[in-house]
Amino acid sequence: MAWRGSHYVVACTLAAGGLLWAAHEARSARRMLSARPIVVTSAYDEWSDTLRARETMSDLLARAGVTGREYVAFLSAARALDTRRLRPGLVFQVRRLRGDSVAQRLGVRTGPEVRLWITRLTGASGGGGWRETVETIPWTKTRLRASGAIQSNLYDALDGALPDSFLPGKERVALAWAIADVYDWEVDFTRDIRPGDRFEVLIERLESPDGERRFGRILAARVDVAATPSYAFYFENDVGRGGFYDAKGRSLRRAFLRAPLQYRRISSRFGGRFHPVLKGWRSHQGTDYAAAWGTPVRATADGIVTFAGREGGYGNLVEVRHANGIRTRYGHLSKFAKGLRVGQHVTQDQTVGFVGSTGLSTGPHLHYEFLVNGRATNPQRKDAGPVQAVPSKLKPMFDTLRNELLAQLEPRQAAPRTRVD
């Protein structure tokens, strides 16, 4: 049969339709191949759990479903986690597969630089059990400067001068006591500072990838003591031992500490006072430091224990003999340091007892005496001992470092505001 013109029209129409259908299917196939993968975000439940007071690790793990054999396997894998010495408040990150009764992973910060992960192994490849992974957290160091005026005490000054974005509150406390430790031999921040005296400090601040900020260390500081600047610069000698020195390269360390308590607040001064128990005025041959019951009391210098026992109105008393006819006494103690005995050599900053209220005392505090050749002397006015200096061969190195730190500590000053000879 001969083809008519209409046959050709129908054939062409069918062919064109077939091509259009094929092109549509091809585009659909390409769209299917380029589709974004499906991401499952709700396969796990994740939460934080805190180790509570008087809890053990087994209590916390039980809440995560890790009991019995799983508990034994967990302890076997967690070699970097001392489960017998965990402190209350430690926070664990827990992850569990939905529908499962046992946690799939636990994580905990065991220190500022370390995060520990313990992961449960499942399936034929894992063979059961748990695996420990130790992650090192990198912290970035930044040099920062802070300054402010002291009106009441050093911590309040720091707290008012530094926002949380600079250092969180807990780290500001650490910075305040670090400054007090630097000047432990030089400045009594409860007595020497006058309202309006200023501080300037150059520190290393550490920041984690998660945005955490913490105090690292002090590099340089300046504290005005009765409007007179007192500088401190950190310097390491040729064998790597470091310490703080003043602008002339003299060590801030002395033979005697200014106070026998690290966290201190003086409640009364050397001299006459109205005795709260005897109800009369009498000479007060020492300095009282108000502190919480049980606060460690430290020896202010190296020496030999000459007395440790009960002594009248002193209550529990420790007496230490030092060089050059100097003796120190520590009274009203609640108890003595473990193993302390007469004839024992103690070192500066070593704990000799603990604050109490024994003897003639109305509340917990420490009575501290400083005697020279048997005569009571104001410890706040006594020379704290000989001064050591940077060795002469290292002096040029110290001078260079001091000038560099001073330029960062006092960027607005064209030259040091203290003479350097």
Side-chain angles (χ1 to χ4, degrees):
M1 179 182 68
W3 278 50
R4 298 178 181 177
S6 59
H7 291 164
Y8 286 104
V9 171
V10 171
C12 291
T13 301
L14 290 174
L19 291 174
L20 289 172
W21 178 84
H24 173 72
E25 290 299 312
R27 285 196 299 271
S28 299
R30 284 197 297 273
R31 281 198 299 270
M32 291 177 61
L33 291 174
S34 61
R36 299 181 64 182
I38 298 174
V39 178
V40 179
T41 59
S42 58
Y44 297 97
D45 289 322
E46 297 188 78
W47 71 93
S48 298
D49 198 357
T50 303
L51 187 68
R52 302 162 191 168
R54 295 182 294 277
E55 273 194 340
T56 63
M57 189 66 194
S58 62
D59 297 318
L60 186 141
L61 289 176
R63 292 195 291 272
V66 183
T67 58
R69 293 182 179 180
E70 293 285 358
Y71 173 69
V72 175
F74 180 95
L75 293 185
S76 178
R79 298 180 181 179
L81 184 66
D82 189 348
T83 57
R84 296 170 298 177
R85 296 186 178 182
L86 299 180
R87 66 185 186 278
L90 202 60
V91 179
F92 287 77
Q93 304 299 323
V94 185
R95 186 174 76 175
R96 182 172 59 197
L97 185 66
R98 287 194 170 180
D100 199 349
S101 61
V102 182
Q104 187 264 343
R105 187 179 72 175
L106 286 92
V108 62
R109 289 277 290 273
T110 57
E113 288 85 18
V114 178
R115 181 184 282 112
L116 186 65
W117 297 103
I118 304 99
T119 306
R120 185 181 176 214
L121 305 176
T122 57
S125 60
W130 295 75
R131 179 179 60 203
E132 176 185 76
T133 304
V134 179
E135 176 188 353
T136 301
I137 302 172
W139 290 80
T140 303
K141 295 180 180 179
T142 306
R143 288 191 178 187
L144 296 174
R145 172 183 174 274
S147 64
I150 303 174
Q151 298 299 336
S152 56
N153 59 66
L154 180 61
Y155 171 70
D156 285 346
L158 282 165
D159 198 41
L162 307 182
D164 287 339
S165 59
F166 187 96
L167 277 178
K170 184 178 179 180
E171 297 300 313
R172 293 198 293 271
V173 173
L175 174 57
W177 291 121
I179 295 175
D181 288 342
V182 168
Y183 288 96
D184 218 356
W185 297 263
E186 293 287 313
V187 180
D188 180 350
F189 284 96
T190 64
R191 176 181 184 272
D192 299 337
I193 300 296
R194 299 176 181 176
D197 281 344
R198 296 188 60 82
F199 74 89
E200 295 178 352
V201 61
L202 180 69
I203 69 168
E204 276 185 352
R205 187 187 69 182
L206 306 178
E207 187 168 359
S208 75
D210 296 330
E212 303 165 288
R213 294 185 175 95
R214 64 187 179 96
F215 163 64
R217 61 173 180 148
I218 293 175
L219 301 173
R222 166 190 164 149
V223 173
D224 290 348
V225 182
T228 301
S230 178
Y231 287 90
F233 301 96
Y234 184 78
F235 176 72
E236 290 186 355
N237 59 23
D238 50 354
V239 294
R241 294 188 61 182
F244 286 92
Y245 297 82
D246 65 13
K248 295 183 179 181
R250 298 173 301 189
S251 174
L252 298 190
R253 296 183 67 91
R254 300 288 190 273
F256 285 86
L257 295 167
R258 291 296 296 270
L261 298 178
Q262 187 173 13
Y263 300 93
R264 56 199 180 279
R265 180 172 62 86
I266 297 177
S267 60
S268 65
R269 302 295 177 190
F270 181 90
R273 69 166 182 170
F274 187 83
H275 198 279
V277 176
L278 299 180
K279 305 301 181 183
W281 287 92
R282 60 181 296 180
S283 180
H284 187 223
Q285 304 296 321
T287 302
D288 284 351
Y289 293 81
W293 187 286
T295 300
V297 176
R298 56 184 181 171
T300 52
D302 295 353
I304 303 295
V305 177
T306 56
F307 185 87
R310 192 84 177 188
E311 180 65 22
Y314 287 103
N316 290 331
L317 174 72
V318 170
E319 182 178 274
V320 180
R321 184 182 73 243
H322 310 281
N324 302 319
I326 299 176
R327 292 174 183 261
T328 54
R329 290 175 177 169
Y330 312 83
H332 304 314
L333 303 176
S334 61
K335 62 179 181 178
F336 307 109
K338 186 177 180 180
L340 190 77
R341 66 186 186 280
V342 173
Q344 177 183 346
H345 180 268
V346 293
T347 58
Q348 186 180 73
D349 206 35
Q350 180 178 335
T351 298
V352 296
F354 301 88
V355 169
S357 188
T358 55
L360 292 177
S361 171
T362 57
H365 72 284
L366 172 71
H367 174 79
Y368 175 61
E369 288 186 15
F370 192 98
L371 300 96
V372 180
N373 296 322
R375 185 173 182 178
T377 305
N378 186 350
Q380 303 294 335
R381 296 180 181 176
K382 176 65 181 174
D383 181 15
V387 178
Q388 295 183 347
V390 173
S392 56
K393 66 177 182 178
L394 299 179
K395 192 62 164 55
M397 185 186 305
F398 170 79
D399 291 342
T400 300
L401 177 64
R402 178 206 60 213
N403 293 337
E404 174 191 336
L405 294 176
L406 191 60
Q408 298 176 58
L409 181 67
E410 298 181 334
R412 293 170 295 179
Q413 300 296 323
R417 290 157 65 178
T418 184
R419 290 184 56 190
V420 180
D421 299 329

